[in-house]
Amino acid sequence: MRFKADRAFRCLKLLAPILSNPQVARLAALLNSSGSPHERVAQEFSVRLAGLLYSSPPERIVWANILVPSELIWGLGFIPFYPEIAAATIARFGLAPEALRLADELGVPRDLCSFHRAAIGFAEAGFFPKAGAFVAVNYPCWTAAVFLSWEAFRHNLPFYLIDMPSDFTEDSAHYLAYSLEEVAQGLASTRGNRYYIRGIEKALRLSNEARSLALEATEMRKFIPSPLKGSKMIGHLGLIAYLFGSPYGVAYYRAMRDYIRRIIAESRPEQEKQGARLYWMHLKPFYSTTLFHLVEDEKKAVIVFEEHSSVWWEPLVEGEPFLSLARKMLSHPSLGPTEGRIARALADVQAFKADGVIHFNHWGCRQSQGAIALLRRRLRGEGVPLLELEGDCIDENGYQEGQIRVRMEAFLESLGGGL
Amino acid sequence: MKYPVGIDVGSASAEALILKDGKILAYSILETGANSRKAAEKALEEALEKAKISRAEVGPIVATGYGRISVDFASRQVTEISCYARGIHFLYPEVRMVIDIGGQDSKAILVGKNGRVLDFVMNDKCAAGTGRFLEVMARVMEVDVEKLGEISLRSRNPAEISSTCTVFAESEVVSLIARGVPVEDIAAGIHKAIARRVGAMAKRIGVTPPVAFAGGVAKNVGVVKALEEELGVKLIVPEEPQIVGALGAALLASEEG
């Protein structure tokens, strides 16, 4: 396994300068003709990003956790690297067990989220791109902030902690905006960029454009039969964290919107046979499993929408970049009282006419499953069935194929399919 | 006339049940062993023999349980969750929750007025709260697992045993034996540990009386008593609690054309 990771890493390092070329990235995506247009944009972006991360000087790269707005990092002229998403990519290629073993050897407690354990392992092995600075948001996921501060400490590099308030008020928005501005000033000064606001405003424009297109796509996803295969969309969740503030975000959502429009016009949904309609909450296993084959192909259930595909924020305001980014962050449904997340789920269930909800409980993720009992009670009170799937997104040893299968089948049977 | 059949292949036992005119005609219960398919075949043969009918007279077959996929001669497979709900509804239409403790898993199912599943919860990746837990403990105590229940009823002072891990609980039992704790107190402690585990699981979806208790472990009077105390309800235990899954499967088979 170590050999596999070594070889992949050496290959990536060798090819990085070539892959960072936009034309090469486009060609690589075009060679995969099986994907839908937005998937090809995603592939193009992924190839280019990998190329940039491994061929750019470390000073240009900022490691961050997932709630740090990508608009801020792109806007300041840096390249974001989200180790949590890299952990999911590692898992997809079957390399997570090696990363987790390395973390074990370092003495990282096993009850910690495997996204961070895998990231720690691969960072330790030197497989991640080198960084110039680290930025972390400390809420709702504190582990990420600890991991990033540890990496900054190890490499004696700047670490910026964005102290996230737990509630959304005008005062908390201003407090957070101030914190974001401080980070922006700190990062910009490392590159001697005194006119960074222009870059951020441009990123905000791109983000707003992508947001509008994403909203159009979301609206069209309510169509019955459901135009897209939800399993593919859950697979893109990591990518989405990178897209806003980049031209690729606009290209991705434009391609998606046009593609869905065509699907509806031609009555050719990605999933031909559609039974029970499911709303998917939280994440999924990123390593290879038969879960979605079971759901979509065998049982013909369709995942109509995903919690994390939701566009939850208001348009960003160019004139007040930090305040509007702060408002975007503070309005995230996972922040503050669970009521917000539950309300969002109920609204989505209704809007997408979902028959039931699947919540994938990722081992060690306090922020998502801490309130699962409340979520279950509230959904049941509204007559919405919920299935909790216990597993691990990264560590394949935490996934029990047979147990997951029986739960999923039973849940779909209870929704009326197959009985 | 064709007879609908339900086959439940669990980790510990396999059951086949034949229906005639909506009533139980015959059933068989045997150990699953290493080969699920063979166990299903054998269970069916035994049930056919008891019913005095031939294989040619068998109608639709629905397979359920952990080994359902291996029953390739079944017309379809349905999960044990749906089958337990359907089976218990047939026996006791008033029941709103059924708890099943089988060989390697335990589950609590909320049953609707029509016999459909409203919600369910199962144990995860752990033998604590299953029949296997009882088997391991009985072996350590050198007591026949089937007698464990009766023995435990004599207890006045149940021992405290961990409910979180079979391996740790086994060590606890070994040390209790070494300390000379009476066997009935250890047995009662074991049953309390299972009841705590399964009770907590059932409470997650809301204990809704009347509650039935099915599966092989329901034959253990000690577990029944401990679970009743834990849940604070009187449990309905079918005359043969092991056939509820196969019965549900046979009922679903009878609905096929």
Side-chain angles (χ1 to χ4, degrees):
Chain A
M1 189 67 84
R2 179 65 189 266
F3 174 69
K4 212 169 140 189
D6 271 339
R7 199 167 52 180
F9 178 66
R10 276 207 306 274
C11 228
L12 195 57
K13 286 277 283 180
L14 201 68
L15 292 172
I18 305 167
L19 298 178
S20 63
N21 182 316
Q23 299 308 328
V24 173
R26 187 159 303 159
L27 187 66
L30 281 173
L31 287 175
N32 182 3
S33 55
S34 62
S36 52
H38 61 281
E39 284 178 291
R40 285 202 289 275
V41 175
Q43 283 156 7
E44 180 184 329
F45 173 71
S46 304
V47 168
R48 178 123 202 266
L49 180 69
L52 285 171
L53 286 168
Y54 284 96
S55 66
S56 305
E59 299 75 37
R60 279 205 64 201
I61 294 165
V62 171
W63 286 24
N65 64 329
I66 217 150
L67 277 188
V68 175
S70 50
E71 293 94 336
L72 188 71
I73 305 176
W74 289 122
L76 289 163
F78 290 89
I79 304 158
F81 176 69
Y82 293 100
E84 293 149 318
I85 297 166
T89 311
I90 289 164
R92 186 170 293 170
F93 290 111
L95 300 173
E98 173 64 12
L100 294 167
R101 192 183 59 75
L102 287 169
D104 266 1
E105 287 172 8
L106 285 172
V108 179
R110 282 192 181 188
D111 79 330
L112 224 61
C113 164
S114 54
F115 277 95
H116 302 114
R117 283 193 292 131
I120 289 168
F122 262 66
E124 173 69 15
F127 291 160
F128 281 167
K130 293 194 174 4
F134 298 78
V135 184
V137 172
N138 61 355
Y139 175 77
C141 181
W142 175 245
T143 320
V146 174
F147 158 58
L148 290 170
S149 68
W150 163 244
E151 285 300 316
F153 175 77
R154 272 187 351 129
H155 300 287
N156 196 24
L157 286 165
F159 171 69
Y160 301 93
L161 180 69
I162 300 171
D163 182 28
M164 180 81 112
S166 60
D167 56 348
F168 186 0
T169 62
E170 265 312 291
D171 281 350
S172 66
H174 279 93
Y175 171 76
L176 184 58
Y178 178 74
S179 190
L180 290 171
E181 192 165 1
E182 267 194 335
V183 173
Q185 281 169 355
L187 286 175
S189 68
T190 64
R191 303 192 70 204
N193 179 3
R194 286 193 295 147
Y195 305 104
Y196 60 86
I197 291 291
R198 285 181 202 160
I200 295 175
E201 284 179 347
K202 186 186 170 198
L204 261 51
R205 270 199 301 281
L206 289 168
S207 179
N208 280 339
E209 202 178 336
R211 178 188 171 277
S212 298
L213 291 161
L215 278 174
E216 281 187 65
T218 302
E219 202 50 40
M220 284 192 285
R221 287 190 67 190
K222 292 174 186 167
F223 190 81
I224 298 176
S226 189
L228 300 184
K229 255 192 162 181
S231 59
K232 289 187 185 177
M233 294 307 298
I234 306 170
H236 280 198
L237 292 179
L239 175 93
I240 290 169
Y242 278 99
L243 287 177
F244 288 93
S246 137
Y248 279 101
V250 178
Y252 175 81
Y253 283 110
R254 177 170 289 127
M256 184 193 289
R257 181 203 59 182
D258 295 347
Y259 174 62
I260 299 175
R261 193 176 276 163
R262 204 169 70 235
I263 279 178
I264 294 173
E266 295 172 3
S267 303
R268 281 193 302 115
E270 284 190 334
Q271 187 177 330
E272 204 182 320
K273 291 185 179 162
Q274 300 191 4
R277 295 172 63 80
L278 304 174
Y279 176 66
W280 196 278
M281 293 190 76
H282 205 41
L283 301 168
K284 65 151 197 166
F286 287 97
Y287 41 85
S288 174
T289 70
T290 57
L291 177 59
F292 293 106
H293 173 72
L294 168 70
V295 173
E296 295 176 334
D297 302 327
E298 278 187 47
K299 299 295 170 189
K300 315 296 180 205
V302 60
I303 298 160
V304 291
F305 200 59
E306 315 75 36
E307 177 185 24
H308 294 313
S309 290
S310 169
V311 177
W312 74 88
W313 66 97
E314 294 297 314
L316 303 168
V317 181
E318 282 178 43
E320 43 186 33
F322 300 112
L323 192 58
S324 61
L325 281 175
R327 285 187 175 128
K328 177 183 176 182
M329 292 166 77
L330 285 167
S331 58
H332 193 288
S334 294
L335 267 70
T338 309
E339 284 302 321
R341 191 165 175 240
I342 294 172
R344 166 68 62 173
L346 282 169
D348 281 346
V349 163
Q350 198 176 19
F352 287 86
K353 296 187 169 53
D355 301 310
V357 175
I358 310 287
H359 191 290
F360 189 83
N361 290 353
H362 170 60
W363 170 254
C365 185
R366 275 72 168 165
Q367 53 113 350
S368 76
Q369 51 172 308
I372 191 77
L374 189 58
L375 177 71
R376 174 189 277 273
R377 206 172 307 145
R378 284 291 310 280
L379 289 180
R380 197 202 279 172
E382 299 292 329
V384 182
L386 167 80
L387 174 70
E388 288 172 57
L389 289 179
E390 304 283 344
D392 194 298
C393 296
I394 302 295
D395 186 359
E396 48 202 85
N397 293 319
Y399 187 83
Q400 311 294 319
E401 188 89 38
Q403 293 201 355
I404 296 267
R405 187 179 180 93
V406 77
R407 284 159 177 73
M408 183 58 90
E409 282 191 27
F411 184 68
L412 294 174
E413 286 167 3
S414 76
L415 295 182
L419 281 187
Chain B
M1 179 180 182
K2 293 280 188 186
Y3 298 88
V5 170
I7 300 178
D8 181 359
V9 186
S11 62
S13 66
E15 296 87 24
L17 186 144
I18 304 169
L19 286 179
K20 183 186 178 188
D21 301 328
K23 288 184 179 158
I24 299 170
L25 177 63
Y27 64 82
S28 64
I29 302 172
L30 44 93
E31 281 184 19
T32 304
N35 189 321
S36 298
R37 193 188 186 282
K38 269 191 191 164
E41 278 280 6
K42 220 170 149 198
L44 177 59
E45 276 169 29
E46 212 174 292
L48 289 172
E49 213 171 287
K50 285 183 182 171
K52 296 186 175 41
I53 60 170
S54 70
R55 183 76 182 250
E57 291 172 277
V58 168
I61 300 175
V62 169
T64 187
Y66 149 88
R68 67 190 179 284
I69 305 293
S70 57
V71 189
D72 52 8
F73 55 87
S75 29
R76 67 184 175 126
Q77 283 87 20
V78 177
T79 64
E80 54 271 38
I81 315 285
S82 299
C83 289
Y84 266 88
R86 194 59 67 92
I88 209 71
H89 180 73
F90 177 83
L91 296 172
Y92 307 100
E94 72 280 13
V95 162
R96 290 294 157 261
M97 173 178 252
V98 57
I99 292 172
D100 159 52
I101 307 183
Q104 74 171 20
D105 70 18
S106 47
K107 53 187 96 65
I109 306 161
L110 285 179
V111 186
K113 286 179 182 163
N114 53 3
R116 292 192 92 103
V117 176
L118 295 180
D119 204 349
F120 66 93
V121 62
M122 295 176 80
N123 70 316
D124 264 304
K125 297 173 264 183
C126 181
T130 70
R132 186 75 69 217
F133 183 84
L134 280 179
E135 280 174 17
V136 171
M137 300 311 151
R139 198 189 60 224
V140 174
M141 293 165 69
E142 296 178 338
V143 169
D144 186 346
V145 69
E146 282 161 14
K147 293 194 177 132
L148 211 55
E150 280 172 32
I151 292 171
S152 71
L153 295 183
R154 298 200 300 262
S155 169
R156 301 258 175 229
N157 185 22
E160 262 312 309
I161 290 165
S162 158
S163 62
T164 52
C165 174
T166 306
V167 178
F168 292 154
E170 188 178 351
S171 316
E172 285 178 58
V173 169
V174 169
S175 56
L176 288 170
I177 294 168
R179 274 167 37 204
V181 175
V183 69
E184 59 267 27
D185 289 344
I186 302 175
I190 289 165
H191 296 150
K192 268 187 78 173
I194 288 191
R196 271 201 303 266
R197 181 90 177 182
V198 176
M201 191 178 70
K203 286 170 191 171
R204 274 172 66 183
I205 53 170
V207 176
T208 314
V211 181
F213 185 17
V217 175
K219 289 179 175 176
N220 180 317
V221 287
V223 177
V224 174
K225 180 172 172 273
L227 200 52
E228 283 180 339
E229 285 169 6
E230 179 67 29
L231 299 177
V233 296
K234 180 88 185 137
L235 295 173
I236 297 169
V237 181
E239 196 180 315
E240 178 43 88
Q242 249 177 304
I243 59 164
V244 177
L247 171 61
L251 288 164
L252 289 169
S254 72
E255 289 167 13
E256 291 188 12

